[in-house]
Amino acid sequence: SQQGEEDPQALSIQEGENATMNCSYKTSINNLQWYRQNSGRGLVHLILIRSNEREKHSGRLRVTLDTSKKSSSLLITASRAADTASYFCATGQMFGNEKLTFGTGTRLTIIP
Amino acid sequence: NAGVMQNPRHLVRRRGQEARLRCSPMKGHSHVYWYRQLPEEGLKFMVYLQKENIIDESGMPKERFSAEFPKEGPSILRIQQVVRGDSAAYFCASSPYAGLAYEQYFGPGTRLTVT
């Protein structure tokens, strides 16, 4: 699998339900970031979690990081129609440079 | 404080023409990154620049592509003799400092279509 690969590729849920997306990566990382992209638009930064952190919250978002399994999850609670977007994880490698390596994304659809 | 600005938002070029994409980073940001996104895919790193310097161009195709970030003015991504495979969305990001501890702020992108 690619560095920063999201699972599932697509997810449809009813408004009000929780949405969980997962990201797996291969190499040691400095941090992991989640971004949202609305159709045809730019990326919006959601959360950055560092390699020495295990969990982080921001509003309705909760991100976990398990460096032993090289995986992260993004949980969106009480989903809203406006959450419909593609979600990407991006990793910054431990001994790399400043570039981010993005996964292919999870396309989330919230059904009103 | 305006965000990262990119222009044009949409660009149509015929095969063989040149494409020039511009990126103005956020005020006070001296680090610029260019990424390319093909349809239905994630973003792929192309190049990282600081003022007047290319720091990492490991993601740039060897031919036809070049980037600059002059002392004054926006960063420019230049694609010479465009081909259909260059059709993609090109995103620019900026950050105030070097290092992955800092968030990269993304612009709205330039969608290049090669006919």
Side-chain angles (χ1 to χ4, degrees):
Chain A
S1 62
Q2 299 177 33
Q3 179 80 349
E5 187 169 288
E6 291 88 342
D7 170 61
Q9 289 187 328
L11 177 64
S12 292
I13 60 172
Q14 292 290 140
E15 192 169 19
E17 293 180 339
N18 295 342
T20 300
M21 288 158 273
N22 302 297
C23 169
S24 60
Y25 57 91
K26 287 191 167 183
T27 61
S28 296
I29 61 170
N30 180 295
N31 63 49
L32 186 145
Q33 305 183 41
W34 284 91
Y35 286 83
R36 183 185 74 221
Q37 183 180 37
N38 291 86
S39 181
R41 308 290 291 274
L43 275 75
V44 173
H45 185 266
L46 298 176
I47 285 187
L48 181 154
I49 186 166
R50 302 185 199 289
S51 59
N52 61 352
E53 296 176 311
R54 291 296 167 259
E55 188 171 310
K56 208 160 183 181
H57 296 255
S58 176
R60 293 183 296 112
L61 306 180
R62 172 178 166 249
V63 168
T64 62
L65 179 64
D66 187 336
T67 52
S68 66
K69 294 181 180 177
K70 291 186 167 57
S71 67
S72 172
S73 68
L74 170 66
L75 168 67
I76 303 173
T77 61
S79 62
R80 305 168 181 167
D83 295 329
T84 294
S86 291
Y87 291 81
F88 295 90
C89 69
T91 54
Q93 294 180 36
M94 183 70 78
F95 300 108
N97 48 33
E98 281 75 12
K99 70 181 182 184
L100 293 175
T101 302
F102 284 81
T104 52
T106 291
R107 183 169 295 181
L108 175 65
T109 302
I110 307 300
I111 304 165
Chain B
N1 187 6
V4 177
M5 300 178 69
Q6 290 187 249
N7 67 81
R9 294 291 305 274
H10 299 273
L11 181 62
V12 180
R13 285 285 179 266
R14 291 197 178 90
R15 278 180 297 172
Q17 292 184 319
E18 177 179 289
R20 278 182 172 248
L21 288 62
R22 293 176 186 76
C23 168
S24 296
M26 287 182 71
K27 188 176 180 180
H29 288 195
S30 58
H31 302 265
V32 166
Y33 315 81
W34 284 93
Y35 295 84
R36 176 166 64 177
Q37 184 179 33
L38 296 171
E40 308 299 323
E41 294 189 11
L43 278 70
K44 296 287 193 294
F45 169 81
M46 298 182 75
V47 62
Y48 161 43
L49 310 103
Q50 292 178 31
K51 283 285 188 182
E52 300 183 274
N53 291 303
I54 296 175
I55 307 302
D56 179 357
E57 55 181 350
S58 59
M60 289 276 272
K62 293 286 184 278
E63 297 175 349
R64 302 187 297 109
F65 285 71
S66 63
E68 63 177 12
F69 189 17
K71 188 177 180 180
E72 301 291 338
S75 175
I76 306 286
L77 179 67
R78 183 181 176 210
I79 311 172
Q80 296 178 291
Q81 299 176 306
V82 296
V83 300
R84 289 235 172 96
D86 297 333
S87 294
Y90 292 83
F91 291 94
C92 164
S94 73
S95 65
Y97 307 106
L100 291 166
Y102 303 98
E103 175 187 341
Q104 292 183 15
Y105 296 81
F106 281 79
T110 293
R111 273 150 188 85
L112 172 66
T113 302
V114 179
T115 60

